[in-house]
């Protein structure tokens, strides 16, 4: 694949899209990076702003005819280099495809365009008494969330995007839209194409429409924080909560350093110890039963300062702070960049994996932060490096490699929600083995024979 595009291709692009096509350097640079640590890759040669499925079809057909790569772009919040124009080509920005097309309250589902964000959808649902639960923190686009199989803080109760996408419209390499799935809650008809595209990271086609599961707003919501003298005590409490089958909605872990960073960033007064931030959904009686059980479990593990966030404003402030832990951590070392990673392990092995990874990071002397959706065995490290130090970058990558190897050895996965992108290709190969990778390559070849969709990601 060329790193530049021919004059004939750019002329055809401008003729087709007019003002919806930009080759301005600032626009291209904006679309040539995401939230991953800096990787020196040139920006795309052009940015096309799609406003309809027909625009997406036209872009795919042009790129196929000229053998130019196409990289779908949502909100730019991915973390593993998914948006980088590794082999040149165009960035196809879907943010203008931002309409909520239909809400079916009786069927508990809605159909949206890919540029709709999760917060936009929930604002549209508020009067219906419904909500969409997948919450990765960033106000990501729903198309991007499906493409990366996002999850987040609510996944322990409501699942991930894999569990909450009922149907898709996708544009494959032919440039002709195809539909996968229906509004029905289940199907035994043919191959499960919907879940093939959920998590494909833009490497098999472009998502242009999504039908999503919705949930009734819970009758009662309660949130609590509990501090622990040690990280191990917090993790052991989490394991006990999940193994008892308590239907907790959110269970988030912050280590002491991250709590201090969040306090400074958000003006909170949380105890500077390892902390669990939890939320409970259900009927008033059900929530009361859940919270009493969890409080007792935390007390058994020497949890202290079990405090309630009684009002929506208090709960919002706590979750806002949790969602901004990444930016809070960056401020603890001015000028740094974060090499982030995540892993997910069976809940019974969470303590083994997480505590060994903490010991490894501590021994390195490299600053880091730790947060986790620990209710489903998923945790995140961010190693704070000087972007000009090759030695620190190399050290962070070694820590990342050891963490992933540890997770795989314990029956886990190299990524619980960040995805593979560019950064975790070698780890995917370790996890799936040559046979699994060969199957993926066969699918890629069958669905994208010219290799125009986001080349160089997921599979090298």
């Amino acid at each position: 694949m060329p790193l530049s595009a021919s004059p004939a291709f750019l002329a055809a692009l401008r003729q087709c899209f007019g003002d919806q096509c930009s080759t301005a350097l600032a626009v291209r640079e904006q679309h040539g990076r995401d939230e991953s640590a800096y990787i020196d890759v040139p920006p795309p040669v052009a940015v096309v702003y799609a406003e309809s499925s027909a625009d997406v079809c036209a872009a795919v057909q042009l790129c196929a005819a000229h053998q130019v790569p196409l990289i779908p772009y949502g909100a730019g919040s991915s973390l593993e280099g998914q948006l980088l124009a590794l082999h040149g080509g165009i960035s196809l920005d879907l943010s203008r495809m931002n309409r909520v097309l239909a809400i079916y309250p009786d069927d508990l589902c809605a159909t949206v365009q890919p540029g709709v964000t999760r917060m936009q959808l929930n604002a549209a649902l508020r009067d219906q008494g419904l909500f969409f639960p997948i919450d990765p923190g960033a106000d990501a686009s729903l198309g991007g969330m499906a493409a990366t199989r996002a999850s987040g803080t609510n996944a322990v109760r409501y699942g991930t995007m894999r569990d909450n996408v009922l149907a898709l419209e996708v544009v494959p390499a032919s440039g002709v839209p195809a539909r996968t799935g229906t509004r029905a809650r289940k199907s035994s008809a043919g191959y499960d194409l919907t879940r093939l595209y959920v998590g494909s990271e833009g490497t098999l086609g472009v998502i242009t429409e999504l039908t999503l599961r919705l949930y009734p707003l819970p009758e009662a919501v309660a949130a609590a924080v509990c501090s622990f003298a040690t990280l191990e005590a917090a993790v052991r409490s989490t394991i006990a909560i999940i193994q008892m089958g308590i239907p907790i909605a959110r269970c988030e872990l912050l280590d002491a350093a991250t709590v201090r960073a969040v306090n400074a960033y958000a003006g909170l007064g949380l105890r500077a110890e390892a902390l669990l931030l939890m939320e409970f959904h259900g009927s008033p009686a059900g929530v009361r039963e859940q919270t009493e059980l969890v409080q007792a479990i935390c007390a058994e593990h020497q949890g202290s300062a079990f405090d309630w966030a009684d009002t929506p404003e208090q709960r919002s402030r706590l979750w806002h702070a949790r969602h901004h832990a990444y930016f809070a951590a960056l401020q603890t070392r001015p000028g740094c960049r974060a090499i982030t990673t995540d892993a997910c392990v069976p809940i019974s092995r969470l303590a083994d994996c997480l505590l060994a990874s903490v010991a490894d990071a501590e021994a390195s002397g490299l600053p880091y932060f730790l947060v986790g959706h620990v209710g489903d065995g998923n945790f995140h490290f961010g190693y704070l490096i000087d972007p000009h130090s090759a030695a620190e970058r190399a050290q962070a990558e070694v820590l990342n490699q050891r963490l992933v190897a540890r997770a795989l050895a314990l029956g886990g996965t190299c990524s619980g929600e960040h995805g593979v992108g560019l950064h975790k290709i070698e780890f995917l190969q370790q996890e799936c083995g040559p046979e699994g990778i060969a199957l993926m390559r066969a699918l890629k070849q069958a669905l994208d024979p010219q290799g125009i969709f986001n080349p160089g990601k997921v599979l090298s």
Side-chain angles (χ1 to χ4, degrees):
M1 286 288 181
L3 285 175
S4 60
S6 69
F9 170 73
L10 291 175
L13 210 59
R14 293 189 186 97
Q15 182 178 7
C16 183
F17 291 102
D19 291 342
Q20 292 171 237
C21 174
S22 176
T23 55
L25 179 59
V27 175
R28 293 189 292 117
E29 287 182 338
Q30 175 196 350
H31 288 75
R33 60 175 180 262
D34 57 12
E35 293 294 340
S36 58
Y38 180 74
I39 301 172
D40 189 13
V41 174
V45 297
V47 175
V48 171
Y49 293 89
E51 297 180 355
S52 65
S53 293
D55 285 346
V56 175
C57 294
V60 169
Q61 290 166 4
L62 273 175
C63 287
H66 292 266
Q67 296 190 350
V68 173
L70 181 152
I71 305 166
Y73 183 98
S77 57
S78 57
L79 290 165
E80 299 292 350
Q82 281 95 338
L83 301 178
L84 302 183
L86 188 65
H87 296 282
I90 70 166
S91 176
L92 183 65
D93 189 316
L94 301 162
S95 60
R96 296 182 185 179
M97 295 178 64
N98 60 358
R99 290 189 297 128
V100 177
L101 299 173
I103 298 172
Y104 306 98
D106 293 341
D107 294 326
L108 297 176
C109 65
T111 299
V112 302
Q113 292 184 310
V116 174
T117 68
R118 64 175 185 87
M119 292 178 67
Q120 180 189 346
L121 176 58
N122 278 320
L125 295 172
R126 194 170 294 125
D127 293 342
Q128 304 282 346
L130 302 171
F131 81 117
F132 181 69
I134 309 305
D135 177 9
D139 189 22
S141 69
L142 292 164
M145 287 169 61
T148 54
R149 201 184 300 137
S151 54
T153 59
N154 279 319
V156 63
R157 177 157 183 167
Y158 297 99
T160 73
M161 288 298 284
R162 180 192 66 183
D163 309 295
N164 290 283
V165 178
L166 296 172
L168 296 171
E169 179 187 81
V170 298
V171 177
S174 65
V176 179
R179 291 193 173 273
T180 77
T182 69
R183 282 164 46 205
R185 288 302 178 97
K186 65 178 184 177
S187 172
S188 295
Y191 300 137
D192 192 344
L193 296 177
T194 301
R195 282 165 184 78
L196 176 62
Y197 280 95
V198 173
S200 62
E201 301 187 29
T203 63
L204 301 178
V206 183
I207 295 170
T208 52
E209 191 177 293
L210 308 90
T211 298
L212 304 168
R213 294 184 65 166
L214 306 177
Y215 297 80
L217 285 167
E219 184 182 357
V221 177
V225 295
C226 187
S227 297
F228 296 83
T230 67
L231 191 66
E232 182 173 4
V235 177
R236 298 289 180 193
S237 294
T238 301
I239 294 171
I241 291 166
I242 301 306
Q243 290 179 338
M244 279 193 66
I246 299 170
I248 192 167
R250 290 170 160 175
C251 187
E252 295 289 301
L253 172 71
L254 285 75
D255 72 339
T258 306
V259 172
R260 287 191 291 271
V262 164
N263 280 341
Y265 184 83
L268 299 179
L270 300 170
R271 291 176 61 165
E273 297 179 336
L275 175 143
L276 290 180
L277 173 55
M278 297 166 284
E279 192 167 277
F280 310 88
H281 295 175
S283 67
V287 166
R288 184 164 54 250
E289 180 183 21
Q290 293 172 43
T291 55
E292 288 171 355
L293 287 169
V294 168
Q295 190 166 7
I297 290 169
C298 290
E300 289 178 4
H301 292 85
Q302 290 75 54
S304 59
F306 199 96
D307 293 327
W308 299 99
D310 296 318
T311 67
E313 292 76 18
Q314 289 174 317
R315 291 198 302 271
S316 177
R317 191 178 182 210
L318 280 174
W319 288 112
H320 180 81
R322 163 61 186 90
H323 287 329
H324 287 79
Y326 172 83
F327 301 104
L330 290 180
Q331 289 195 359
T332 65
R333 189 180 186 189
C336 75
R337 293 295 303 267
I339 290 185
T340 59
T341 190
D342 79 315
C344 188
V345 295
I347 193 69
S348 64
R349 307 311 302 269
L350 177 62
D352 300 331
C353 190
L354 198 153
L355 295 173
S357 300
V358 166
D360 209 11
E362 289 285 348
S364 76
L366 200 64
Y368 70 94
F369 66 94
L370 166 64
V371 296
H373 314 311
V374 286
D376 55 12
N378 186 201
F379 60 90
H380 308 256
F381 273 79
Y383 306 108
L384 305 177
I385 66 165
D386 177 348
H388 305 295
S389 170
E392 288 193 7
R393 174 178 289 276
Q395 188 176 32
E397 292 294 355
V398 168
L399 291 172
N400 183 18
Q401 290 165 3
R402 290 176 180 166
L403 184 153
V404 171
R406 193 174 294 120
L408 295 180
L410 294 172
T413 176
C414 66
S415 179
E417 63 178 356
H418 287 187
V420 175
L422 179 63
H423 195 212
K424 290 198 169 185
I425 289 175
E426 67 174 281
F427 303 141
L428 180 69
Q429 294 169 347
Q430 295 169 23
E431 179 173 331
C432 296
E435 295 81 7
I437 295 297
L439 284 173
M440 293 186 193
R441 289 194 190 282
L443 284 168
K444 172 71 170 173
Q445 177 63 30
L447 295 176
D448 182 20
Q450 291 181 285
I452 66 166
F453 289 122
N454 208 6
K457 315 299 167 50
V458 183
L459 302 170
S460 57

